[in-house]
Amino acid sequence: MNSEIFGALLMFVAVVILAFPLGSYIARVFNFEKTWLDRIFNPLDKVIYKLSGINPCVEMTYKQQLIALLSINVTWFILSMLVLTNMSNLPLNPDNNPSMSADLAFNTAISFVTNTNLQHYSGETGLSYLGQLLLMLWQFISAACGIAISAAVFKSMRERSTTTLGNFYAFFVRSSTRILLPLSIIVATILVFNGTPMTFDGKDTVRTLEGAEQQVSRGPVAAFVAIKQLGTNGGGFYGPNSANPMENPSYFTNIVETVSILLIPMALIIAMGIYVNKRKFSYIVFGVMTLGFLILALPSVYFEMQGNSAVADLGVSQPLGSMEGKEVRFGSAASATWAIFTTCTSNGSVNSMHDSLTPLTGSFAMLGMMINCFFGGVGVGFLNFYIFIILAVFISGLMVGRTPEFLGKKIETKEMKIAMVIALLHPLLILTGTAVASAVFTSDPETYSAWLANPGYHGFSEMLYEFTSSSANNGSGFEGLGDNTPFWNIACGIVMLLARYLPIIGPVAIAGILASKNYIPESAGTLKTDTATFGLMTFAVIAILAALAFFPALTLGPLAEYFSMSK
């Protein structure tokens, strides 16, 4: 037990230690300062700009930034649909995997375009190698889009008065070549040397201990896994994701992959402080996010290590904790740690089956996605937090009788309307989707019986988790849900689209509007946003607006299941 706790603690400490130097490096990348990678990647950048006809020196307004972002996403969505629906007729398909149906391709294309990576298919049998490579490319593009748009928001916070927020394409390319690609090469190399496949050969035939022959899928797995972790993507090469030993061979690779989940989201907060020259403010943001993360992580590890009360009632000893749906090579503590790492970010990869988490841990995993700003996805995690900062500044200003200001800019009606719409969008999508699915299921349980492997409280949790994961652009799931149906493919696809782009458009619009306003010098009447008091206020706003909005739904699902097991 002590070694398991030490392992979980090691993962968190390691990511904190690595985040600070990486954050400093990212700030230099955003600031177009020289880095040691320039000699390698400057020629590549020039080729990309030349082929695409882009001038990276042209400044762009916030509206032009958003148009550029959406244009990239629409283009690649169309290409993804064409490939996914025609894989059987395209090259790099040694295992002759079939093409996807239109509704599944729609869901999958949107899923990877939006950095969600929700998978209603099993990777090794549902995609050709060409399909896997296309989605791997999307894991770079979607992550780089999030980082680039966050850089534009950082720039708006730094400038005293401006109508332009840098060049989206320049931030996008530098995020890909200077941040995501080098880190992915390092992680992929570690995985290859520890047993993760990296080949374009088809299935291999192996002989089991029983003497039987078995076909084992392989492919360019190491490269796929590296960017899925670092880009908070989460889509697995195999159906079981990183619970599969081919993706995650050992406890050492589990540490590497766990650290990779939180590394860039955490480093971006440090980068923000350096780039904006507001380090104290960034430490307050970092502290609030860390506090929220630990409030979810610590009890999750505890409850998983205590075991399942229903199993204990049968008189079964659980010295390793609750091990249903978990890998013995990782254990309950490392599995719970990963579960909170992956749901507090928009990663969504798994090293155990979340459907088998004990009820309270399952509720903490859902809360991480429902709140969706305790580090969050690369770039967009801060954008979600930015909305709560605006709300906290406005509420705090009203409480103490001061004009609501953020970094020298007055927050007025227009910004507040946008902030409230975005804050309410997340619960609207999750709760409405779950309500519709519940109504459909209860209207004809026999017809839709394949949806739920576990009716009752847990079945409701499975549907709630699916829409929560879709809206948080997370991609993990309670896999007792039969989700590869037209209803779930289309409904989740629509939720992923709305939940990805509106929460980007809103904060960027607020940032652009604030940046264009006249700067007001700080005075005795200015509300300071770099104090612990403001940090606690922001945390309270998050708790009231985000967490409490979902309490009734959690009561109907995981909390009801917990109390029913405690009888």
Side-chain angles (χ1 to χ4, degrees), residues 333-346:
S335 299
T337 301
W338 183 303
I340 301 304
F341 268 60
T342 198
T343 50
C344 278
T345 66
S346 65

Side-chain angles (χ1 to χ4, degrees), residues 86-150:
N86 292 280
M87 287 185 298
S88 59
N89 300 316
L90 294 172
L92 293 178
N93 191 11
D95 297 329
N96 296 314
N97 289 337
S99 301
M100 286 186 174
S101 61
D103 60 293
L104 180 56
F106 170 79
N107 181 277
T108 303
I110 288 177
S111 180
F112 279 80
V113 165
T114 59
N115 198 247
T116 309
N117 296 37
L118 186 72
Q119 294 175 288
H120 288 178
Y121 63 91
S122 185
E124 66 271 35
T125 59
L127 288 173
S128 66
Y129 289 169
L130 179 62
Q132 296 276 26
L133 289 172
L134 176 73
L135 298 186
M136 182 175 72
L137 175 62
W138 249 118
Q139 294 187 121
F140 279 96
I141 293 172
S142 63
C145 282
I147 297 173
I149 210 67
S150 69

Side-chain angles (χ1 to χ4, degrees), residues 200-392:
F200 284 100
D201 292 335
K203 293 179 181 178
D204 194 14
T205 302
V206 299
R207 188 172 295 277
T208 66
L209 293 175
E210 293 84 1
E213 288 189 350
Q214 182 175 338
Q215 297 288 309
V216 177
S217 296
R218 47 186 177 170
V221 183
F224 194 96
V225 172
I227 186 58
K228 90 165 187 185
Q229 298 300 97
L230 288 163
T232 60
N233 292 287
F237 192 94
Y238 297 95
N241 210 281
S242 285
N244 189 306
M246 304 286 275
E247 285 196 26
N248 194 6
S250 66
Y251 196 88
F252 173 69
T253 61
N254 188 70
I255 292 175
V256 173
E257 292 185 26
T258 306
V259 168
S260 297
I261 294 173
L262 203 57
L263 181 57
I264 296 179
M266 190 176 281
L268 279 170
I269 305 304
I270 306 301
M272 180 267 291
I274 298 171
Y275 182 76
V276 179
N277 197 25
K278 297 284 184 182
R279 296 194 185 212
K280 190 176 179 182
F281 172 70
S282 74
Y283 294 153
I284 294 298
V285 174
F286 187 91
V288 172
M289 289 184 172
T290 302
L291 174 63
F293 173 84
L294 291 177
I295 287 175
L296 298 176
L298 294 177
S300 296
V301 172
Y302 171 80
F303 285 119
E304 292 307 303
M305 292 183 70
Q306 293 305 301
N308 189 312
S309 59
V311 176
D313 291 341
L314 298 174
V316 178
S317 175
Q318 302 174 78
L320 299 179
S322 177
M323 289 301 294
E324 180 190 346
K326 298 181 178 66
E327 283 287 316
V328 175
R329 55 205 164 98
F330 303 142
S332 56
S335 299
T337 301
W338 183 303
I340 301 304
F341 268 60
T342 198
T343 50
C344 278
T345 66
S346 65
N347 184 274
S349 64
V350 299
N351 72 345
S352 65
M353 296 300 104
H354 287 193
D355 198 37
S356 296
L357 293 173
T358 55
L360 289 183
T361 303
S363 69
F364 294 138
M366 285 193 229
L367 264 176
M369 296 184 288
M370 289 167 173
I371 294 170
N372 204 26
C373 67
F374 292 153
F375 296 111
V378 286
V380 295
F382 177 76
L383 296 190
N384 294 332
F385 196 90
Y386 184 79
I387 292 295
F388 289 112
I389 290 174
I390 299 300
L391 295 175

Side-chain angles (χ1 to χ4, degrees), residues 299-546:
S300 296
V301 172
Y302 171 80
F303 285 119
E304 292 307 303
M305 292 183 70
Q306 293 305 301
N308 189 312
S309 59
V311 176
D313 291 341
L314 298 174
V316 178
S317 175
Q318 302 174 78
L320 299 179
S322 177
M323 289 301 294
E324 180 190 346
K326 298 181 178 66
E327 283 287 316
V328 175
R329 55 205 164 98
F330 303 142
S332 56
S335 299
T337 301
W338 183 303
I340 301 304
F341 268 60
T342 198
T343 50
C344 278
T345 66
S346 65
N347 184 274
S349 64
V350 299
N351 72 345
S352 65
M353 296 300 104
H354 287 193
D355 198 37
S356 296
L357 293 173
T358 55
L360 289 183
T361 303
S363 69
F364 294 138
M366 285 193 229
L367 264 176
M369 296 184 288
M370 289 167 173
I371 294 170
N372 204 26
C373 67
F374 292 153
F375 296 111
V378 286
V380 295
F382 177 76
L383 296 190
N384 294 332
F385 196 90
Y386 184 79
I387 292 295
F388 289 112
I389 290 174
I390 299 300
L391 295 175
V393 167
F394 186 79
I395 295 171
S396 299
L398 293 178
M399 291 174 64
V400 299
R402 297 182 179 182
T403 302
E405 296 175 9
F406 179 57
L407 301 181
K409 307 295 176 66
K410 285 186 178 181
I411 297 175
E412 297 174 301
T413 305
K414 190 174 184 179
E415 297 87 80
M416 282 305 301
K417 287 180 178 178
I418 297 172
M420 281 308 304
V421 168
I422 301 304
L424 294 173
L425 176 70
H426 193 49
L428 175 67
L429 293 174
I430 294 172
L431 299 178
T432 301
T434 306
V436 170
S438 299
V440 171
F441 179 81
T442 55
S443 67
D444 192 352
E446 291 186 7
T447 300
Y448 300 105
S449 60
W451 280 14
L452 302 179
N454 302 281
Y457 302 131
H458 195 79
F460 179 82
S461 296
E462 289 172 350
M463 294 190 291
L464 176 64
Y465 194 106
E466 188 76 1
F467 280 110
T468 302
S469 179
S470 298
S471 185
N473 294 138
N474 183 271
S476 61
F478 271 13
E479 294 307 329
L481 180 71
D483 49 24
N484 186 13
T485 66
F487 173 87
W488 287 104
N489 286 335
I490 295 171
C492 290
I494 293 171
V495 169
M496 286 186 284
L497 272 177
L498 296 174
R500 171 67 170 182
Y501 297 112
L502 292 181
I504 288 177
I505 293 170
V508 173
I510 293 174
I513 295 169
L514 291 179
S516 65
K517 293 184 178 183
N518 292 326
Y519 176 78
I520 303 171
E522 188 175 296
S523 66
T526 301
L527 176 68
K528 293 185 179 294
T529 56
D530 59 356
T531 64
T533 301
F534 180 77
L536 291 174
M537 182 64 186
T538 305
F539 186 86
V541 170
I542 293 171
I544 293 169
L545 292 183

